[in-house]
Amino acid sequence: MGSMPNVPAASALPRRDQIRKEAARLFAARGFLGVGVDEIGKAVGISGPGLYRHFAGKDAMLADLLIGISERLLEEGRRRAGEAGGTGGPAGALDALIGGHVDFALDDRDLIILHDRELLHLKEEDRRRVRRLQRGYVELWVGVVREAFPPLAAPDAEPLARAAVHAVFGLLNSTPHSAAPHPGQPDRSGLPRDAMAALLHSLAQGAFAAAAAGAAARAA
């Protein structure tokens, strides 16, 4: 994530990254089971068998994509929260986490679809690894949210904070359904990217503020 620039054109990417990008696009569009190795090879200009110099097969491509994005979200989330928290406190750390996930949601839509739909096609060991990374990412957010909103720091408010985090993920990860089908096109909502990012950011902050208000009301 980091600054998370838009992915460059496939021709400017190393071959392995070209394969990742096209595999993610095809898997998201037609499903993991609906795409053959030859089609991925054709999309990057090499023969299907030539892909095996980079990946052992389709299963390996899917695992690479889903494990890779799970690792990136957790690592970048920790980095963002640590850097922003050092200067802006818990509120700054949360703001940085939200901003990073909004960038992911808007710029890596194919990977969101894969996360939602294709996890069951991973080998059991790889699926457990993804789930472990996802749990770490959730725990990072829950901890930061509870620091940023003191009413959610109470022991009995932990389930509410956790539910709010999952609700915000659901909100942010819904962007493939409202965003443009292809980068550079207007979103189906009609909003430019920056406006959509600002809207998602404010909605996420609002969800956590509402959860904190609910916790404060229950404690009163």
Side-chain angles (χ1 to χ4, degrees), residues 78-198:
R78 286 172 173 165
R79 183 189 64 77
R80 280 175 173 263
E83 291 178 356
T87 56
L94 179 58
D95 200 58
L97 278 180
I98 294 171
H101 200 96
V102 167
D103 285 345
F104 162 63
L106 294 177
D107 298 335
D108 287 295
R109 297 162 189 168
D110 290 341
L111 291 176
I112 291 177
I113 293 172
L114 295 188
H115 251 265
D116 288 344
R117 195 175 66 193
E118 306 293 352
L119 191 62
L120 75 163
H121 294 303
L122 288 181
K123 295 178 181 178
E124 181 60 30
E125 179 182 356
D126 291 331
R127 189 161 56 246
R128 285 199 301 266
R129 184 174 176 187
V130 170
R131 291 298 192 198
R132 185 167 60 249
L133 291 164
Q134 288 176 334
R135 286 194 297 271
Y137 190 56
V138 169
E139 293 306 318
L140 171 65
W141 276 69
V142 170
V144 171
V145 166
R146 298 183 76 196
E147 290 180 0
F149 292 94
L152 293 173
D156 63 350
E158 192 272 346
L160 181 57
R162 187 174 301 276
V165 167
H166 282 290
V168 166
F169 286 167
L171 166 70
L172 300 182
N173 292 348
S174 70
T175 54
H177 305 293
S178 61
H182 303 289
Q185 294 182 351
D187 281 356
R188 295 185 180 98
S189 65
L191 291 177
R193 186 200 183 282
D194 288 349
M196 176 63 83

Side-chain angles (χ1 to χ4, degrees), residues 203-214:
L203 289 172
Q205 286 282 12
F208 292 131

Side-chain angles (χ1 to χ4, degrees), residues 47-100:
S47 66
L51 289 178
Y52 293 109
R53 291 197 295 271
H54 303 277
F55 293 97
K58 267 200 332 177
D59 290 347
M61 292 179 210
L62 184 64
D64 179 87
L65 289 167
L66 292 181
I67 292 172
I69 190 55
S70 299
E71 289 177 337
R72 181 158 63 101
L73 282 171
L74 180 56
E75 292 169 4
E76 288 292 326
R78 286 172 173 165
R79 183 189 64 77
R80 280 175 173 263
E83 291 178 356
T87 56
L94 179 58
D95 200 58
L97 278 180
I98 294 171

Side-chain angles (χ1 to χ4, degrees), residues 16-35:
R16 187 176 174 90
D17 289 337
Q18 290 180 41
I19 295 168
R20 286 190 181 105
K21 182 185 179 196
E22 291 304 318
R25 181 182 64 80
L26 289 167
F27 291 160
R30 292 168 45 199
F32 175 72
L33 298 180
V35 177

